[in-house]
Amino acid sequence: MTSGHVSAVEHRFVEVNGVRLHIAEQGRGPLVLLLHGFPECWYSWRHQFGPLAEAGYRVVAPDQRGYARSEQPEDVDAYSLLHLTGDVIGLIHALGEESAVVVGHDWGAPVAWTTALLRPDVVRGVAGLSVPHVPRGPVSQLAALRELLGDGFYQNYFQEQGLADGELAQDPAGTFRRILFGASGDSPATAPPRPWVVPEGASLLDTMQEPDRLPSWLSEDDIHAFVREFDEHGERAFTGGLNWYRNIDRNWELLAPFDGRVIDVPALFVAGDRDLVRSFPGMAELLDSLKVTAPRLHRSITLPGCGHWTQQERPEEVNAALLDFLAHLPAQV
């Protein structure tokens, strides 16, 4: 991201549903919300602000609740998908808008998909990066993956409060280097991609080595930027984001009334062929059924050689896909 684009991004705080959220924004026009994943923040979208704003859109990327500069509620139960989608709807209204296009990456993708599922009257279009829409199944996804991949599967490993929190916060710079490189298309571990599983007796970061050299899309300045953004929460820097995982079973219960509902707004999906998400059990079937669960799917795009950090690893291709999708949406009334 050029220094010009960095300086053009404006920052402020907005209170939404009793939680103080930090937002970064640039441009004027129809609203496009960019929702980051774990362990990220608004900075993950540094390559998208300028191109989308220059194309005539108002681009807003919040630090979602629990992350970076935003407030981190103490209660684990405050991080359910209903809270997170509520934040999206509240933010759209707090920005003085009645509708938005919602784009999500990693955990931001389920938030985007669910917001479109529950509030198609507010979401003009939805784009998911890395994670496709996952319809509610007969059992919680967490229970199903524990059965298939064991307690060491990272989503299950994250359930114990304080464990992963402490490991990730010991050395934030090392954490970001390991995770961002380790799940990228540049890592040997993603050829082919495989689920992130912590062997018994090992720690979380034992599974990802710190790279000798960062890939071309990630600089030390980027690492320092992520660390600075997370500084505010100290030893709890990653706790807010981990609490999202601790609500997976609860999300399955809360979304029961919407079982069987499809996403009936225009949709886009973009992911790399070396993304670890692609290796999850049942993912091939989910990808094949996207046109059924999101019948107004515009395109499903696979980026060769790209890992998990879609919009950071392949910004030009992602920006082109987003701009094409936005251009094909019905005109805003």
Side-chain angles (χ1 to χ4, degrees), residues 190-309:
T190 62
R194 54 184 181 267
W196 188 8
V197 178
V198 182
E200 187 174 354
S203 70
L204 187 64
L205 294 181
D206 287 339
T207 61
M208 288 189 175
Q209 292 186 348
E210 190 158 350
D212 295 328
R213 183 173 58 185
L214 293 175
S216 60
W217 57 270
L218 183 67
S219 69
E220 282 297 333
D221 285 344
D222 295 329
I223 298 296
H224 295 322
F226 279 115
V227 171
R228 283 196 305 272
E229 294 296 323
F230 278 75
D231 271 350
E232 181 175 332
H233 298 298
E235 295 180 355
R236 292 175 56 85
F238 299 94
T239 297
L242 290 167
N243 284 342
W244 291 35
Y245 292 92
R246 293 163 185 157
N247 277 274
I248 292 176
D249 282 341
R250 188 160 171 257
N251 291 336
W252 180 77
E253 297 173 356
L254 292 172
L255 292 173
F258 307 96
D259 194 14
R261 181 176 173 86
V262 300
I263 291 173
D264 52 10
V265 302
L268 170 71
F269 178 66
V270 184
D273 66 357
R274 292 180 62 166
D275 192 323
L276 62 91
V277 174
R278 191 174 289 271
S279 68
F280 290 6
M283 189 55 60
E285 292 77 11
L286 279 173
L287 293 174
D288 288 342
S289 65
L290 259 179
K291 192 67 176 177
V292 176
T293 58
R296 297 180 67 185
L297 184 69
H298 174 63
R299 292 181 70 191
S300 178
I301 300 171
T302 300
L303 302 176
C306 181
H308 183 62
W309 313 107

Side-chain angles (χ1 to χ4, degrees), residues 33-333:
L33 280 187
L34 305 177
L35 307 177
H36 65 78
F38 179 88
E40 301 175 90
C41 64
W42 73 271
Y43 189 77
S44 306
W45 302 101
R46 59 195 177 279
H47 302 297
Q48 281 67 54
F49 282 99
L52 295 185
E54 289 162 9
Y57 297 97
R58 182 185 184 188
V59 187
V60 175
D63 290 337
Q64 298 194 77
R65 69 164 61 196
Y67 280 90
R69 301 189 215 178
S70 287
E71 190 174 352
Q72 188 180 102
E74 290 286 337
D75 190 352
V76 174
D77 289 349
Y79 296 87
S80 77
L81 268 174
L82 293 187
H83 288 88
L84 302 171
T85 57
D87 287 349
V88 174
I89 297 299
L91 180 56
I92 291 170
H93 294 154
L95 293 169
E97 305 284 354
E98 296 182 359
S99 64
V101 176
V102 183
V103 181
H105 168 257
D106 183 77
W107 250 115
V111 177
W113 294 120
T114 305
T115 306
L117 185 79
L118 304 185
R119 293 301 303 270
D121 58 317
V122 177
V123 177
R124 296 178 53 227
V126 59
L129 309 183
S130 173
V131 180
H133 173 50
V134 180
R136 185 179 183 273
V139 298
S140 165
Q141 179 185 347
L142 193 65
L145 290 172
R146 179 182 285 112
E147 183 72 21
L148 293 168
L149 298 173
D151 290 332
F153 179 59
Y154 76 101
Q155 295 184 10
N156 299 109
Y157 187 91
F158 286 172
Q159 298 306 306
E160 182 178 338
Q161 295 184 42
L163 178 60
D165 316 47
E167 292 176 8
L168 294 172
Q170 281 179 6
D171 174 17
T175 291
F176 282 113
R177 286 192 201 96
R178 290 169 185 251
I179 292 180
L180 291 174
F181 172 75
S184 76
D186 296 273
S187 170
T190 62
R194 54 184 181 267
W196 188 8
V197 178
V198 182
E200 187 174 354
S203 70
L204 187 64
L205 294 181
D206 287 339
T207 61
M208 288 189 175
Q209 292 186 348
E210 190 158 350
D212 295 328
R213 183 173 58 185
L214 293 175
S216 60
W217 57 270
L218 183 67
S219 69
E220 282 297 333
D221 285 344
D222 295 329
I223 298 296
H224 295 322
F226 279 115
V227 171
R228 283 196 305 272
E229 294 296 323
F230 278 75
D231 271 350
E232 181 175 332
H233 298 298
E235 295 180 355
R236 292 175 56 85
F238 299 94
T239 297
L242 290 167
N243 284 342
W244 291 35
Y245 292 92
R246 293 163 185 157
N247 277 274
I248 292 176
D249 282 341
R250 188 160 171 257
N251 291 336
W252 180 77
E253 297 173 356
L254 292 172
L255 292 173
F258 307 96
D259 194 14
R261 181 176 173 86
V262 300
I263 291 173
D264 52 10
V265 302
L268 170 71
F269 178 66
V270 184
D273 66 357
R274 292 180 62 166
D275 192 323
L276 62 91
V277 174
R278 191 174 289 271
S279 68
F280 290 6
M283 189 55 60
E285 292 77 11
L286 279 173
L287 293 174
D288 288 342
S289 65
L290 259 179
K291 192 67 176 177
V292 176
T293 58
R296 297 180 67 185
L297 184 69
H298 174 63
R299 292 181 70 191
S300 178
I301 300 171
T302 300
L303 302 176
C306 181
H308 183 62
W309 313 107
T310 326
Q311 77 273 21
Q312 297 187 70
E313 293 185 52
R314 296 294 180 81
E316 292 185 1
E317 290 156 286
V318 169
N319 293 345
L322 290 175
L323 289 170
D324 170 70
F325 176 59
L326 291 166
H328 279 85
L329 292 178
Q332 190 171 21
V333 178

